[in-house]
Amino acid sequence: MDAAPSAATPTRGYSATKEQLRSRLKRIEGQVRGIDRMVDEERYCIDVLTQISAVQAALDKVALGLLDDHARTCVAGAEGDLRLERTDELMAAVGRMMRRG
């Protein structure tokens, strides 16, 4: 059972959709296990690659949602120097996502 956030534990931008996020991640985890089974069964390469692409697309969708939540809560809600710091963090994360591949 999750404890209620304390004053020392900040509320994250995704807290309101935490269960939805966890559900999506569990689904992706299942897809990855399915790919492992496909490799074990020596399935056709293109079929395995198609499933890998599906997992990457699902992870990208989760990441974009987190970026959106971060921009709307953590960045927009910050003040002064903290806003600049969080904007820099956001842009660095976007840069990492774009370089992947």
Side-chain angles (χ1 to χ4, degrees), residues 43-51:
R43 300 273 299 271
Y44 187 56
C45 299
I46 297 300
D47 293 341
V48 175
L49 290 169
T50 299
Q51 291 306 309

Side-chain angles (χ1 to χ4, degrees), residues 13-75:
Y14 57 84
S15 294
T17 59
K18 183 177 178 179
E19 288 309 312
Q20 183 181 27
L21 178 62
R22 293 190 73 212
S23 176
R24 284 184 179 192
L25 291 170
K26 292 288 185 189
R27 211 172 315 128
I28 293 167
E29 181 181 17
Q31 286 178 285
V32 172
R33 281 194 305 270
I35 293 169
D36 182 54
R37 279 191 304 274
M38 291 175 77
V39 170
D40 186 52
E41 296 168 359
E42 298 182 11
R43 300 273 299 271
Y44 187 56
C45 299
I46 297 300
D47 293 341
V48 175
L49 290 169
T50 299
Q51 291 306 309
I52 289 171
S53 291
V55 167
Q56 287 173 332
L59 283 171
D60 285 346
K61 187 172 182 178
V62 168
L64 285 172
L66 287 170
L67 284 171
D68 182 68
D69 288 345
H70 182 67
R72 292 175 188 275
T73 57
C74 301
V75 176

